[in-house]
Amino acid sequence: MNEHIRPVPLEKAYRLLTHGPTVLVSARHAGVDNVMAAAWACALDFAPPKLTVVLDKSTHTRGLVEASGQFVIQVPTVRLLQLTHEVGTRGRASEPGKLEVAGVELVRLGETGMPFVAGCSAWLACRLVPEPHNQQAYDLFIGEVTAAWADERVFKDGHWHFETAGTEWRSIHHVAGGHFYAIGEPMQARSKP
């Protein structure tokens, strides 16, 4: 699994999210792992790199993030469409075996000890930046990216290469009600003369 995974320099980590993919959020606390899907995640800052993600109050993952102070954001691929939908619509409180039912395989990367979802194209390990007002009022969480990795078959030299990777490597983008799109064809704007 790890033979194609490479560290991403932190100054390039924001590029893993700028194309607006649906993400998987994973967390661990007191020996309990969980994974949820989130459509509202984005890069926030460059140095140190930070991101935001919306985690609803009703989710079990949110409680793990608040308790542990860390989480992982990962970019699922087309191959993980059904898994993404399953972890986004099932709750661990009502379905303790949701990860097994959804077919989630967790792996470890680096020295973080956090759960990473296998089969994704990118992973960002984050330290929670506590903002109690934003978390309570808006369900908005800020994470400082402490380490990042990407699969070199689709992200290398600080850039996505969806156009040369197989279509199974495309990121997915949630619209509503289980309806997703895969990232489309590349386009290039003209540079100013």
Side-chain angles (χ1 to χ4, degrees):
M1 167 11 224
N2 295 345
E3 70 184 78
H4 295 286
I5 297 173
R6 301 289 178 262
V8 173
L10 289 180
E11 66 270 11
K12 303 287 187 201
Y14 73 95
R15 291 182 179 177
L16 298 173
L17 293 179
T18 56
H19 65 295
T22 294
V23 299
L24 297 175
V25 182
S26 59
R28 172 173 239 243
H29 181 68
V32 176
D33 293 327
N34 203 37
V35 179
M36 64 175 278
W40 296 349
C42 70
L44 175 65
D45 204 353
F46 299 104
K50 293 183 190 80
L51 56 81
T52 62
V53 64
V54 173
L55 304 175
D56 189 84
K57 289 172 184 64
S58 67
T59 65
H60 188 76
T61 302
R62 176 179 171 149
L64 298 176
V65 170
E66 290 175 323
S68 69
Q70 56 185 354
F71 59 97
V72 178
I73 296 290
Q74 44 250 305
V75 179
T77 63
V78 167
R79 288 180 293 199
L80 297 181
L81 174 65
Q82 192 60 39
L83 178 150
T84 301
H85 181 66
E86 294 288 329
V87 300
T89 56
R90 296 178 183 270
R92 193 174 195 287
S94 60
E95 295 184 60
K98 87 169 201 177
L99 298 184
E100 292 79 25
V101 169
V104 175
E105 178 188 350
L106 296 175
V107 296
R108 305 288 184 229
L109 291 175
E111 304 297 320
T112 68
M114 291 190 285
F116 293 78
V117 178
C120 291
S121 58
W123 303 260
L124 298 102
C126 300
R127 178 187 64 77
L128 177 63
V129 177
E131 291 285 347
H133 173 72
N134 288 338
Q135 290 167 208
Q136 285 303 318
Y138 308 111
D139 297 331
L140 183 67
F141 285 70
I142 298 174
E144 179 182 331
V145 180
T146 58
W149 297 266
D151 193 301
E152 66 182 351
R153 292 173 285 189
V154 67
F155 186 92
K156 61 184 168 195
D157 302 323
H159 297 281
W160 287 106
H161 296 278
F162 293 113
E163 68 277 10
T164 56
T167 57
E168 71 276 9
W169 286 104
R170 292 181 181 214
S171 59
I172 57 177
H173 305 256
H174 184 255
V175 179
H179 188 76
F180 293 78
Y181 284 96
I183 195 163
E185 297 300 317
M187 296 178 277
Q188 183 69 47
R190 288 186 311 237
S191 298
K192 292 181 179 181

